[in-house]
Amino acid sequence: PKKYLLNDKFYLEDFNGWDETIRDWLADRENITLKAEHHFVIEYLRNSYAKRGVHPVIRNILPELKEKFGADKGTVKYFHTLYPGGIHQAFLIAGIPMQDSCC
C-alpha cells in the first residue's frame, strides 16, 4: 500500500503525492462529505497552486464557484458551509502544503 507523509497537523508533505485516497481520508477525518462543489474547489486550489506556487486566496475562488454553481454559491458564507474550517481546511484536503503563517 502507498504511504503518505503528513506533518503534525495532517498536511501532506509532498504536493505530488496527493491522490483520491488521501483526499478522501483527509475529508473523512475533517468530517466533510465531498460533493461536486468540494471537488471543484479542490481542483481549483490544486491547479492554481501548481501553476503559481503560492496559496490561492478565497476571493479568487468565489467568482469561479458563482459561475459554475450559481450566485448563491459564490459567497464566503457558502464557502464556509463547504469548508467550516475555512481556506486552510480546503488546503489540507487538497494536499497543498501548510503555509508558514498557518496555524
Side-chain angles (χ1 to χ4, degrees):
K2 183 174 179 178
K3 295 186 183 214
Y4 302 92
L5 182 59
L6 305 174
N7 72 10
D8 63 334
K9 298 193 185 309
F10 293 93
Y11 280 81
L12 192 63
E13 293 283 345
D14 177 13
F15 178 78
N16 296 313
W18 182 90
D19 61 20
E20 292 177 3
T21 301
I22 193 65
R23 176 201 67 199
D24 294 348
W25 184 83
L26 289 166
D28 186 55
R29 189 179 178 287
E30 294 290 312
N31 295 313
I32 291 178
T33 302
L34 297 174
K35 54 186 183 181
E37 292 90 337
H38 292 97
H39 291 290
F40 181 83
V41 169
I42 289 167
E43 185 176 323
Y44 178 90
L45 293 175
R46 289 192 57 78
N47 288 338
S48 180
Y49 185 82
K51 285 180 191 169
R52 295 175 187 83
V54 296
H55 289 75
V57 292
I58 196 169
R59 72 175 173 267
N60 293 339
I61 301 164
L62 300 180
E64 303 292 332
L65 275 170
K66 179 180 178 179
E67 183 179 322
K68 176 89 174 168
F69 297 102
D72 59 323
K73 298 194 176 171
T75 66
V76 171
K77 184 177 180 178
Y78 181 75
F79 186 89
H80 283 280
T81 68
L82 295 174
Y83 297 98
I87 191 75
H88 294 289
Q89 186 178 44
F91 291 158
L92 183 137
I93 295 169
I96 295 175
M98 187 169 77
Q99 286 179 285
D100 291 335
S101 64
C102 173
C103 316

